[in-house]
Amino acid sequence: MANFGWSYPAGCRSTPYDEPAGPCDVCGQDVDSDACICPECPECGGCGDSRCYVPGKCGLVRSPEQLQARADAEAAWKAEADAERLAFELDPPETW
Ligand SMILES: [Zn+2]
Ligand SMILES: [Zn+2]
């Protein structure tokens, strides 16, 4: 079965001091690994903050690259969710 990267084994990877920042709100890429391609907001200094892109806020506009990156990320999340659901249906845990 295909495995799409980040699945965290229960209880052994994360520590309270090493919280993953999670994917960028805007481009969907990993903020921690500098994969995020979003520019710094000239208004508030935020980076990858979807609020900066709300009309009437900071005035940032998503670039085609950001939209494409986001679409790619969503496709990967969806594939991962589908794979998990399929695994669950094929092999449901006895207790949940
Ligand atoms: Zn980003
Ligand atoms: Zn901003």
Side-chain angles (χ1 to χ4, degrees), residues 2-93:
N3 188 349
F4 285 87
W6 7 276
S7 53
Y8 298 108
C12 63
R13 270 267 301 274
S14 60
T15 71
Y17 307 104
D18 191 21
E19 283 292 331
C24 171
D25 242 11
V26 178
C27 70
Q29 304 302 305
D30 191 348
V31 176
D32 264 356
S33 69
D34 289 338
C36 171
I37 58 173
C38 300
E40 196 172 291
C41 175
E43 287 296 320
C44 69
C47 186
D49 188 338
S50 59
R51 282 171 298 187
C52 298
Y53 296 80
V54 174
K57 296 276 185 177
C58 300
L60 288 183
V61 178
R62 287 171 171 82
S63 70
E65 288 79 15
Q66 283 170 300
L67 292 172
Q68 184 60 52
R70 175 79 192 189
D72 288 349
E74 285 187 358
W77 296 335
K78 186 174 182 306
E80 189 175 23
D82 284 350
E84 266 172 32
R85 195 175 57 233
L86 190 65
F88 183 84
E89 281 168 11
L90 292 178
D91 185 19

